[in-house]
Amino acid sequence: MKKIICMILSVALCGTFVLSGCGKQDKNGGDGTADKKENEKEIVVATNSETGGLDPAGMIALTYLAYSVSALDELLTYNEAGEIEYRAAESYEVNDDSTVWTFHLRKDAEWSDGTPVTADDFINTMVRSLDPKSGNGYANYLYPIKNAEAIYNGEADADSLGVKAVDDNTLEFTLEKPCVYFLDLLRLPVYTPSCVKYADEVGSGWDKDPKTSVANGPFYLDEYVPEQYFVLKKNEKYWNADKVKLDKITYRFFDDQQSMASAYETGEVDVAPALLSSVMELYEGKDDLVITDTIATRYIYPNLNVKPLDDVRVRKAINLGINREELCSMVGADTEPTVNFIAKYMKDKQSGGYFVDGAEPPFEENLEEAKKLLAEAGYPDGKGFPKLTYNYPSLEMDSDTAQVLQEQLKKNLNIDIELNAQELQVNYTERKAGNFDLCRMNWTADFADPYTYLSMLLSNGTYNCSGIRDEKYDALVEQSDTEKDPVKRAELMHQAEQLAVGEEFYIIPLYSMKSCNLIRPEIKGITQIPATGALEYRYAELEE
């Protein structure tokens, strides 16, 4: 399968190269964007099909993540050296018991239309995110704040939220209890500002309208054409504008990775991230090829509300009956088998090594035991096992993965799986609604702490779409929230993962990934976000 894909891609790239000649196409020709100004420094970035909006309080998906990395400033973040990098804030202090955090905003910070960035803009996003109608899956990351969870559940009024604007430039958080990873949370969408002047209810359209979609980061939205592209222009009012070298970043939407690679070959885009691993062979030895670690895990949600997936023996049998080495050999060289939920490439802040290496794997594959478990559950040799449907996005890697899994489960356990490819947006929506038997899931870390994974399986987690309700698991994660001893905290988190993945088998982990990226060699200054492994373009520049 992998070799066939490589041949098809090679032919496609060669064909598009012949059609385009040796020079780059005019990136602005025929796509509705404005004519490129003389000497304007622009890069064009390929991105996956349009999903979700640009509102940090709304449904967060790939389009927002592409936009926000260049257009929005969080309070602070961490750089590659693990040091704090101040952005919208210039300093902070915390009280002795770590329950009151005060942030001082930059007094010279402005939105792209000249409106001052104030503490109320941050509160605006938080309050709107805590309305369940917003559909924001990150709302539970606000729960450390006093009354946030009660507000989300309709048990308290929004004005009781433990965040206040002491003045325009001072933002104060009061937490329910100490939270050792609170600073890590600040890079999440729900802690990002949205201008009170324009950002009203989720879904009103303000976020994709350049007249109202203002930004407090290095770039702002200049144009948005649904299902085609959006354009970001340099924000001259940005507090650090002197360090921003590009004039424009255009993001173009593509339905699949092959189209992204072809567009790179023809010169339609300058950066094509997260491509098929077959591109590694085609570009081997070339400066264009950049391989990066992705702090992500591809896994499957079994719906615990669907029989027989409510039986832990069945979930365990499926996990033990999958050959992940074989799966990865078929899917691509950019995948690596994992039986962990926490991403393989997530670093342990204390040891500097990978976090998952600090404990034994949650389980080992064992086909004989899988068959025995299935028989104990009432399905000897798979007899009588109902046909389950597997929902997944219609992307190449996910399609290949689905076909291999279907074949393996039939061959190994005599289980029939019906494959249901969906548009990416539909897949998100159906999963969120719990309309699935088995559903593909991928989680790229949002911040550099294992909690970004463990929180997904909490009973009150907004990304818990499969009906997990486990008080013992919740208690372990809750203990880790306040444990200040890093060694003891790591042990609690390892215990939580072992319980969820190695005992209850709430998920079916498949593989970790590396990212295969194509980047024009003349583009310098593209960095990786340490927390996620994603590419960051805010300080990129074109070499003369």
Side-chain angles (χ1 to χ4, degrees):
M1 184 181 300
K2 184 172 61 175
K3 289 183 179 178
I4 292 173
I5 291 172
C6 184
M7 289 174 63
I8 292 172
L9 182 57
S10 180
V11 171
L13 293 183
C14 289
T16 51
F17 185 75
V18 169
L19 288 172
S20 63
C22 297
K24 292 176 66 176
Q25 288 183 340
D26 180 358
K27 292 192 286 282
N28 298 297
D31 66 1
T33 55
D35 290 335
K36 187 173 181 178
K37 296 179 181 178
E38 188 176 356
N39 298 323
E40 188 173 54
K41 295 179 179 179
E42 174 191 2
I43 64 171
V44 181
V45 180
T47 189
N48 281 316
S49 301
E50 182 178 18
T51 52
L54 306 182
D55 184 352
M59 194 194 91
I60 303 302
L62 296 178
T63 304
Y64 172 85
L65 297 176
Y67 161 80
S68 63
V69 71
S70 298
L72 297 177
D73 259 8
E74 57 272 76
L75 288 165
L76 56 80
T77 188
Y78 287 93
N79 62 24
E80 293 179 352
E83 301 166 337
I84 287 177
E85 179 181 314
Y86 289 100
R87 290 191 170 173
E90 57 185 6
S91 65
Y92 80 94
E93 63 251 5
V94 58
N95 69 347
D96 291 340
D97 68 358
S98 299
T99 57
V100 179
W101 298 72
T102 305
F103 294 85
H104 302 283
L105 308 184
R106 297 182 184 278
K107 293 182 174 61
D108 58 344
E110 296 181 356
W111 291 97
S112 50
D113 70 341
T115 302
V117 178
T118 69
D120 283 330
D121 295 322
F122 289 85
I123 297 173
N124 181 40
T125 300
M126 293 180 230
V127 170
R128 293 188 303 113
S129 299
L130 288 171
D131 181 351
K133 294 178 182 178
S134 72
N136 192 297
Y138 288 84
N140 62 300
Y141 291 115
L142 292 168
Y143 289 178
I145 303 171
K146 187 176 181 179
N147 291 330
E149 185 172 5
I151 293 169
Y152 185 84
N153 292 327
E155 300 165 354
D157 295 331
D159 57 10
S160 68
L161 183 64
V163 185
K164 68 177 181 179
V166 178
D167 55 45
D168 283 351
N169 301 112
T170 310
L171 184 65
E172 182 184 275
F173 294 85
T174 301
L175 308 187
E176 293 277 4
K177 57 189 176 184
C179 177
V180 296
Y181 52 87
F182 185 66
L183 291 180
D184 286 299
L185 295 179
L186 299 180
R187 70 172 312 277
L188 299 179
V190 289
Y191 287 91
T192 304
S194 52
C195 185
V196 294
K197 184 177 178 181
Y198 306 109
D200 46 31
E201 62 186 73
V202 171
S204 67
W206 69 268
D207 54 317
K208 293 183 179 179
D209 182 348
K211 296 177 182 178
T212 52
S213 188
V214 293
N216 75 322
F219 297 86
Y220 67 92
L221 184 68
D222 182 60
E223 187 178 8
Y224 195 105
V225 180
E227 300 181 11
Q228 293 187 46
Y229 62 89
F230 64 91
V231 179
L232 303 182
K233 294 190 74 172
K234 180 178 176 179
N235 179 11
E236 297 293 349
K237 299 186 182 300
Y238 184 52
W239 64 271
N240 205 23
D242 289 346
K243 297 289 181 66
V244 180
K245 305 302 182 184
L246 295 176
D247 298 306
K248 182 189 293 186
I249 304 175
T250 296
Y251 287 87
R252 290 184 58 87
F253 295 123
F254 291 89
D255 291 332
D256 54 67
Q257 293 157 298
Q258 182 174 315
S259 298
M260 291 165 66
S262 297
Y264 181 85
E265 186 70 21
T266 61
E268 188 179 351
V269 302
D270 301 306
V271 180
L275 298 174
L276 294 170
S277 62
S278 50
V279 171
M280 295 166 68
E281 299 175 34
L282 295 169
Y283 279 82
E284 185 177 1
K286 296 183 179 180
D287 292 339
D288 308 60
L289 181 63
V290 179
I291 305 299
T292 56
D293 289 341
T294 300
I295 306 174
T297 303
R298 200 72 125 236
Y299 60 101
I300 298 172
Y301 261 144
N303 193 335
L304 273 60
N305 297 311
V306 173
K307 291 186 177 299
L309 297 173
D310 58 340
D311 189 330
V312 66
R313 294 171 297 183
V314 171
R315 300 195 299 271
K316 185 175 181 179
I318 293 174
N319 262 297
L320 270 59
I322 293 173
N323 186 328
R324 291 166 177 79
E325 285 282 357
E326 180 184 73
L327 171 64
C328 290
S329 70
M330 299 295 287
V331 173
D334 55 345
T335 62
E336 186 171 351
T338 187
V339 293
N340 285 89
F341 182 30
I342 297 170
K344 175 179 177 56
Y345 301 123
M346 173 168 278
K347 292 290 187 71
D348 185 317
K349 292 179 181 176
Q350 301 305 311
S351 70
Y354 294 128
F355 180 84
V356 297
D357 291 341
E360 292 296 316
F363 65 90
E364 293 182 2
E365 296 166 6
N366 187 323
L367 183 53
E368 291 307 311
E369 186 179 353
K371 291 178 177 178
K372 181 181 177 182
L373 286 164
L374 208 57
E376 290 176 1
Y379 308 101
D381 193 32
K383 293 176 182 176
F385 196 93
K387 180 177 285 189
L388 297 174
T389 299
Y390 176 46
N391 291 358
Y392 61 95
S394 53
L395 303 173
E396 288 94 338
M397 177 178 282
D398 293 304
S399 296
D400 291 346
T401 300
Q403 291 173 42
V404 175
L405 289 173
Q406 183 186 51
E407 293 168 3
Q408 283 194 6
L409 291 175
K410 180 62 177 177
K411 175 185 175 182
N412 296 346
L413 299 176
N414 198 28
I415 292 176
D416 289 315
I417 302 294
E418 182 176 333
L419 303 184
N420 182 30
Q422 302 172 311
E423 291 182 0
L424 198 56
Q425 181 70 57
V426 174
N427 185 257
Y428 284 151
T429 303
E430 291 291 282
R431 186 190 70 227
K432 182 76 173 174
N435 295 331
F436 63 90
D437 299 338
L438 297 166
C439 184
R440 170 272 202 191
M441 185 65 181
N442 180 76
W443 194 252
T444 301
D446 286 301
F447 51 94
D449 190 275
Y451 182 82
T452 186
Y453 286 92
L454 300 178
S455 64
M456 304 280 286
L457 309 182
L458 290 170
S459 298
N460 63 354
T462 46
Y463 271 99
N464 176 356
C465 308
S466 56
I468 301 168
R469 300 290 181 270
D470 191 322
E471 292 181 2
K472 185 178 178 181
Y473 176 81
D474 294 347
L476 282 170
V477 178
E478 185 176 355
Q479 277 183 269
S480 75
D481 288 353
T482 56
E483 179 55 66
K484 294 183 179 181
D485 183 316
V487 175
K488 292 180 180 178
R489 181 168 184 259
E491 177 58 30
L492 287 167
M493 292 190 288
H494 284 306
Q495 288 179 31
E497 183 179 35
Q498 174 62 38
L499 174 62
V501 184
E503 296 176 26
E504 296 296 336
F505 295 88
Y506 290 134
I507 68 161
I508 304 169
L510 298 175
Y511 48 77
S512 294
M513 291 161 287
K514 290 186 178 292
S515 185
C516 174
N517 313 287
L518 293 177
I519 302 173
R520 302 278 172 218
E522 63 267 25
I523 302 175
K524 306 299 180 182
I526 293 179
T527 58
Q528 273 188 278
I529 300 172
T532 68
L535 300 180
E536 184 169 45
Y537 312 103
R538 59 173 52 204
Y539 296 125
E541 57 184 302
L542 290 170
E543 195 174 60
E544 296 294 338

